[in-house]
Amino acid sequence: DQQVKQNSPSLSVQEGRISILNCDYTNSMFDYFLWYKKYPAEGPTFLISISSIKDKNEDGRFTVFLNKSAKHLSLHIVPSQPGDSAVYFCAGTTSGTYKYIFGTGTRLKVLA
Amino acid sequence: SQTIHQWPATLVQPVGSPLSLECTVEGTSNPNLYWYRQAAGRGLQLLFYSVGIGQISSEVPQNLSASRPQDRQFILSSKKLLLSDSGFYLCAWSVEGEGEQFFGPGTRLTVL
């Protein structure tokens, strides 16, 4: 059972435009969500997170939106830059379980 | 500051050979530790996690095992590798089971 789904395996965006990466989850017990960025042959690096008590969290060019009723979250990158080209993973967890469940990732390509 | 090390960075092993991947964390005490695998074209699959010395939880039945002989050391092992064990293995740590996880640089394992 894939508890976290990223249905778009890839996305191409023009430099300067907005990138929107989507993530859906099925586990209603998840109360904390994270986004990671991963370059080839490297470990993922943390980008931004959101607690289920919020519906939006912003950090510079990155904003994460959470829609609990739809069990959906999205990551917005504005403006997109070529250096943002990477694979983006979303993950969900339930406080106290110590387990993070990751999606399959979306490969973002920002075109110069 | 905290640092996570993994070695080796790359490994090529024949089918049926044993495996030992090591992960160590510096700069923190009693971290939660994790092993993930990223197979080609797939997301991050949680293999094992540990909340303390000698405490290992397995997420996926397989021919891999994990051990935590010291507080900040996490080892992934196999007695006999299979072709399907090929992938990118990532170690990660977190504090108190929530908040972001921090990933190591990963080990690329190829089983021939």
Side-chain angles (χ1 to χ4, degrees):
Chain A
D1 175 34
Q2 189 71 26
Q3 298 183 55
V4 179
K5 299 177 184 178
Q6 293 177 257
N7 292 318
S8 298
S10 64
L11 174 69
S12 291
V13 172
Q14 206 67 33
E15 181 180 6
R17 306 294 288 268
I18 184 171
S19 294
I20 301 176
L21 297 100
N22 293 304
C23 180
D24 297 296
Y25 62 97
T26 58
N27 191 333
S28 58
M29 298 300 291
F30 284 162
D31 57 7
Y32 196 77
F33 302 89
L34 310 93
W35 282 95
Y36 285 82
K37 175 180 180 180
K38 185 183 182 300
Y39 294 117
E42 294 183 10
T45 54
F46 171 74
L47 267 180
I48 192 168
S49 62
I50 189 166
S51 166
S52 60
I53 62 174
K54 296 184 176 181
D55 54 19
K56 176 183 174 181
N57 189 26
E58 198 170 350
D59 184 1
R61 298 186 297 116
F62 302 93
T63 303
V64 56
F65 296 92
L66 175 62
N67 182 334
K68 289 185 289 294
S69 61
K71 292 190 177 67
H72 176 83
L73 61 156
S74 60
L75 174 68
H76 293 211
I77 306 174
V78 182
S80 301
Q81 300 173 353
D84 296 328
S85 297
V87 177
Y88 290 78
F89 291 97
C90 67
T93 186
T94 304
S95 300
T97 64
Y98 312 108
K99 288 169 56 175
Y100 297 72
I101 306 300
F102 283 78
T104 51
T106 296
R107 182 177 301 279
L108 173 66
K109 188 171 183 180
V110 180
L111 307 169
Chain B
S1 64
Q2 298 87 2
T3 311
I4 180 168
H5 303 279
Q6 275 187 254
W7 62 91
T10 59
L11 189 60
V12 180
Q13 292 284 97
V15 169
S17 63
L19 173 74
S20 182
L21 302 181
E22 190 163 343
C23 169
T24 59
V25 181
E26 296 177 356
T28 187
S29 296
N30 197 30
N32 297 321
L33 297 172
Y34 306 81
W35 279 110
Y36 289 87
R37 175 172 60 203
Q38 184 185 17
R42 303 187 66 179
L44 297 176
Q45 181 185 34
L46 177 62
L47 301 176
F48 301 95
Y49 68 96
S50 171
V51 300
I53 296 175
Q55 299 178 62
I56 309 295
S57 296
S58 174
E59 287 299 299
V60 182
Q62 58 209 327
N63 70 322
L64 299 171
S65 63
S67 62
R68 184 170 178 175
Q70 301 180 40
D71 181 46
R72 289 170 288 176
Q73 184 184 31
F74 206 22
I75 297 173
L76 183 69
S77 305
S78 175
K79 293 182 179 178
K80 289 186 178 181
L81 283 169
L82 306 173
L83 287 174
S84 58
D85 292 323
S86 294
F88 192 56
Y89 288 82
L90 290 155
C91 181
W93 69 275
S94 70
V95 176
E96 296 180 357
E98 55 182 290
E100 58 265 34
Q101 285 182 314
F102 300 94
F103 284 83
T107 294
R108 171 73 59 192
L109 172 66
T110 303
V111 183
L112 301 175

